[in-house]
Amino acid sequence: MEKILFDADTITRSLKRISHEIMEKNESLNDVVIIGIKTRGSFLAQRLAGFIHLFEGIELPLGDLDITKYRDDITHEMKEVITNQSTVPVTLNDKVVILVDDVLFTGRTIRAALEAVMEYGRPKSVQLATLIDRGHRELPIRADYVGKNIPTANTETVKVYLSEYDERDAVILSK
């Protein structure tokens, strides 16, 4: 059984709102870098950067993060052969990093992303933006910017579809 939680318009409205929240929280955007967590987080980060450019006329540095080798379910031997597919355009020293992901669930992806971010410098701060926060945290991690909080059961799944990757925009809850 599937239920559509977000359509394309709702995703766009949520990202526009998050863009405004980022601009309000960060007085100066001069030190802000937006980094999406591959794969869908990267596309959401591109959209957020595009809205900020539209609203403020500022092009923020934009990158994406491959967290594969930082996952806690990968063995040490596997980590040795994983190639880093991240593209971070600037050093992150003293920058405000906005990490972007599609769904915040247990927090383990974000823990891995934080470890990966440190490979690129020591940021002034790291903020988290997510389209969906579904709860069930296993680690003490929370998002600074949330499109929507959606309480779910552990047996349910939340799937984000984005036109850049999936040829449509939608958020689906499956039971």
Side-chain angles (χ1 to χ4, degrees):
M1 181 174 166
E2 290 187 345
K3 177 181 177 186
I4 297 174
L5 301 175
F6 278 29
D7 59 12
D9 290 339
T10 307
I11 290 172
T12 298
R13 272 194 312 276
S14 294
L15 293 175
K16 284 180 178 179
R17 182 177 42 76
I18 290 170
S19 298
H20 282 291
E21 290 174 6
I22 289 170
M23 293 182 301
E24 288 171 9
K25 184 171 183 172
N26 298 283
E27 267 182 41
S28 169
L29 296 175
N30 294 334
D31 294 330
V32 173
V33 178
I34 297 181
I35 298 179
I37 300 171
K38 286 191 170 191
T39 295
R40 288 171 186 82
S42 296
F43 298 123
L44 293 171
Q46 290 170 15
R47 292 185 191 190
L48 287 172
F51 287 131
I52 291 170
H53 182 259
L54 178 70
F55 301 142
E56 290 292 318
I58 296 171
E59 283 197 41
L60 297 176
L62 178 65
D64 56 24
L65 211 52
D66 176 5
I67 61 151
T68 307
K69 78 176 196 173
Y70 302 97
R71 293 174 49 100
D72 58 9
D73 59 352
I74 301 289
T75 65
H76 180 69
E77 292 77 23
M78 292 169 69
K79 286 181 184 184
E80 296 298 318
V81 297
I82 294 170
T83 58
N84 185 355
Q85 301 293 317
S86 298
T87 55
V88 177
V90 296
T91 178
L92 299 181
N93 288 331
D94 298 318
K95 301 289 186 189
V96 174
V97 174
I98 311 288
L99 270 179
V100 183
D101 202 9
D102 56 350
V103 178
L104 178 57
F105 184 33
T106 63
R108 294 190 177 280
T109 296
I110 304 309
R111 187 222 44 89
L114 290 169
E115 190 175 335
V117 160
M118 296 308 160
E119 297 268 328
Y120 297 94
R122 188 176 188 277
K124 183 186 324 180
S125 68
V126 178
Q127 299 169 13
L128 176 60
T130 187
L131 186 61
I132 304 294
D133 183 344
R134 61 172 289 195
H136 302 283
R137 223 67 85 236
E138 295 174 4
L139 299 172
I141 291 174
R142 68 163 180 80
D144 299 278
Y145 314 102
V146 178
K148 185 150 179 94
N149 289 294
I150 301 191
T152 61
N154 273 328
T155 57
E156 296 173 315
T157 59
V158 174
K159 180 69 175 159
V160 174
Y161 295 93
L162 297 174
S163 58
E164 297 92 336
Y165 192 73
D166 305 297
E167 301 178 7
R168 70 175 174 148
D169 281 355
V171 178
I172 308 289
L173 177 68
S174 300
K175 297 184 184 213

